[in-house]
Amino acid sequence: MTSIRIPMLLLFFTFNFVVFHSQARYHYHKKRKHSPPISQISPPPSGAPAPSNQPPKADPYVNTGVFDVRKFGAVGDGMTDDTEAFKTAWDAACQFESGVILVPNGYSFMIQSTIFTGPCKGGIVFQVDGTLMPPDGPELWPSKNSKHQWLVFYRIDEMSLQGGGVINGRGEKWWNLPCKPHRGPHGSTLPGPCDSPVAIRFFMSNNLTVQGLKIIDSPQFNFRFDNCTNVHVQSIHITAPPLSPNTDGIHIENANNVRIYDSVISNGDDCVSIGSGCYDVDIRNITCGPGHGISIGSLGNHNSRACVSNITVRESVIKNTDNGVRIKTWQGGSGAVSGITFDNLKMENVRNPIMIDQFYCLTKDCKNGTSAVLVSDIQYSNIKGTYDIRSPPMHFACSDSVPCTNITLSDVELLPAKGELVLDPFCWNAYGDFEALTIPPVSCLLAGNPRSLLENSLGVC
């Protein structure tokens, strides 16, 4: 049987080899038949590189996912307009799974007012290791561009703005516009254009991280988060001169699940300001000052409805500021501020360490209203330090028709920064109690709950 099998196997392999070889020759000649003759192939244009026998190079971003803005034409000399390069790099990184836009160290990039739009494929990182800056002042700002904002991130889900670089807002020429506060004689303002851009704004975006950056001299607000959810700000450093107008460090509006941790904010307005529609906000380990302190509000302007709840400010230092922790509302508004906790705070030479002001007004001719934003369930605990003797250490000025309720103080100790005179707290239509000894004593708080609240539905949110 063996002598018969071997020839049959040889015959089988010989037959397959012939068939394969014939098919290969057929396909080769068929392909060649449809290829143009060499004489018909157009030569490369003059100056074009000669064709290479090497395989084409792989896209450098396919494996790394890092999109260096210089590769897209950015110069980084601080004078050249690099806007288009950044927009092109953004578009490329946005289509990449977890793409990284790299702003390299050692370069200064000037960018015009720009909106970076999502959604992106799978999250995006904006890595700022160099310097970003806008045009230098109103006169160099293109007339076609919005003067309300500089860098806007719109409809982004899962983004990180991070790095060890600097965002320089070049704000001085904006602060010196004649319309700005105290620019005119005797502290007045003068007529003229007044719009100034917010440095960085996130709008209708979720799952955001801002970390490690240094922001200096913003023309107006440094950061603004509007209609955002799940925001984490950590280890940032914001600086602007004490008299720079409206340079709020971080402003949030209609935002929830916001965490602001381990940061230093020194500016000319609120370190952190919390607007209407915010809830579930945690602020921890902030060094604030100089500036206007940490504020909830202003709320209820132009008879509007405002709701703010579940806000915590803890383990922070506030020094050399006009205010410490403040809640401010306009007369005539509606809605409610509730569930607010200020805990374990150190005050150093603060003019108004603890303040509720339901008569907030920027002019002298504001009228009292019969309605107001209800302020209730406010807790102050373990707040110690010194205050500027020009004002009382605690100030509770509440609406005539909608009193403040359930104000609780525990372990509060505030002493004058200079001298020995301890001023009494100020209260107006404020209800509450203290759980432990406070210095100075807050004997002006009213006990119980006012009857008028039982008939008032303005505070429903």
Side-chain angles (χ1 to χ4, degrees):
M1 294 296 290
T2 304
S3 62
I4 297 173
R5 277 185 173 178
I6 292 175
M8 291 181 67
L9 289 171
L10 288 172
L11 179 62
F12 173 79
F13 284 112
T14 302
F15 173 80
N16 279 279
F17 174 78
V18 171
V19 172
F20 173 79
H21 184 66
S22 300
Q23 289 178 341
R25 291 190 55 174
Y26 169 77
H27 286 297
Y28 170 77
H29 286 290
K30 184 178 180 181
K31 183 177 180 181
R32 189 176 181 188
K33 179 180 179 181
H34 292 282
S35 300
I38 295 177
S39 61
Q40 294 181 13
I41 298 177
S42 300
S46 177
S52 172
N53 293 327
Q54 299 296 324
K57 292 184 179 180
D59 186 335
Y61 307 115
V62 168
N63 295 322
T64 65
V66 177
F67 298 79
D68 188 330
V69 294
R70 293 174 301 166
K71 302 296 184 181
F72 294 84
V75 177
D77 60 2
M79 297 177 290
T80 303
D81 186 353
D82 290 322
T83 308
E84 289 304 317
F86 271 75
K87 292 170 68 175
T88 306
W90 171 270
D91 291 341
C94 193
Q95 298 306 315
F96 194 90
E97 188 73 31
S98 301
V100 178
I101 298 174
L102 176 62
V103 181
N105 186 25
Y107 297 86
S108 296
F109 300 92
M110 195 276 286
I111 310 175
Q112 305 283 357
S113 177
T114 304
I115 300 178
F116 297 101
T117 304
C120 293
K121 186 173 181 180
I124 191 167
V125 175
F126 207 117
Q127 181 75 26
V128 181
D129 292 329
T131 299
L132 297 180
M133 60 179 64
D136 190 13
E139 293 183 359
L140 296 180
W141 204 271
S143 58
K144 63 178 182 180
N145 291 347
S146 170
K147 287 185 172 64
H148 294 284
Q149 53 202 21
W150 175 35
L151 301 181
V152 181
F153 298 94
Y154 175 62
R155 289 191 178 276
I156 313 297
D157 189 7
E158 193 176 341
M159 175 184 168
S160 180
L161 176 61
Q162 63 184 40
V166 176
I167 297 174
N168 184 352
R170 305 171 93 174
E172 184 173 1
K173 293 179 181 179
W174 297 94
W175 308 330
N176 291 333
L177 288 172
C179 65
K180 296 297 183 180
H182 313 300
R183 297 303 302 170
H186 308 296
S188 63
T189 60
L190 300 176
C194 211
D195 292 336
S196 300
V198 174
I200 301 171
R201 183 186 184 197
F202 288 91
F203 183 46
M204 298 181 68
S205 298
N206 306 312
N207 304 313
L208 306 170
T209 298
V210 178
Q211 187 171 8
L213 295 171
K214 183 177 182 181
I215 301 92
I216 63 174
D217 295 345
S218 176
Q220 204 197 49
F221 293 2
N222 287 263
F223 285 96
R224 179 171 180 139
F225 296 89
D226 291 279
N227 297 88
C228 294
T229 299
N230 193 19
V231 176
H232 185 192
V233 178
Q234 184 158 5
S235 302
I236 64 170
H237 196 140
I238 295 174
T239 57
L243 295 180
S244 56
N246 301 116
T247 52
D248 294 46
I250 301 170
H251 178 76
I252 60 175
E253 192 105 9
N254 295 308
N256 65 85
N257 195 17
V258 178
R259 301 175 301 281
I260 304 172
Y261 296 157
D262 309 327
S263 297
V264 176
I265 304 174
S266 172
N267 57 355
D269 212 302
D270 295 332
C271 293
V272 180
S273 54
I274 300 168
S276 179
C278 293
Y279 60 92
D280 295 343
V281 177
D282 187 27
I283 301 170
R284 183 182 69 197
N285 194 25
I286 300 297
T287 299
C288 168
H292 293 179
I294 297 174
S295 293
I296 297 174
S298 56
L299 305 173
N301 194 13
H302 303 299
N303 302 322
S304 62
R305 189 174 191 81
C307 295
V308 174
S309 63
N310 194 21
I311 312 294
T312 300
V313 180
R314 55 191 171 122
E315 299 163 22
S316 296
V317 176
I318 303 175
K319 56 184 180 180
N320 301 318
T321 57
D322 287 351
N323 307 291
V325 288
R326 176 171 57 157
I327 299 172
K328 50 183 180 177
T329 70
W330 295 79
Q331 288 280 296
S334 61
V337 178
S338 63
I340 314 299
T341 299
F342 301 109
D343 177 59
N344 195 18
L345 304 178
K346 182 179 180 181
M347 305 282 181
E348 297 180 11
N349 192 33
V350 175
R351 184 168 182 178
N352 298 292
I354 294 174
M355 188 173 196
I356 296 176
D357 181 11
Q358 287 196 284
F359 299 91
Y360 183 72
C361 178
L362 295 178
T363 63
K364 296 181 180 180
D365 57 353
C366 294
K367 296 180 180 179
N368 287 351
T370 55
S371 66
V373 178
L374 173 65
V375 177
S376 65
D377 300 321
I378 315 297
Q379 169 102 26
Y380 302 93
S381 59
N382 194 23
I383 299 176
K384 299 180 180 181
T386 59
Y387 65 94
D388 184 324
I389 59 173
R390 290 177 295 173
S391 302
M394 287 174 266
H395 185 100
F396 304 108
C398 301
S399 165
D400 292 335
S401 54
V402 186
C404 304
T405 62
N406 200 21
I407 298 172
T408 305
L409 294 101
S410 175
D411 200 19
V412 175
E413 184 176 316
L414 296 169
L415 300 172
K418 295 181 179 180
E420 299 179 356
L421 179 64
V422 178
L423 298 178
D424 292 330
F426 172 83
C427 301
W428 181 265
N429 214 18
Y431 289 74
D433 201 356
F434 50 90
E435 296 177 347
L437 179 66
T438 65
I439 299 176
V442 191
S443 56
C444 59
L445 283 177
L446 302 173
N449 284 308
R451 181 180 300 234
S452 59
L453 281 187
L454 300 176
E455 305 169 356
N456 195 328
S457 61
L458 293 173
V460 177
C461 280

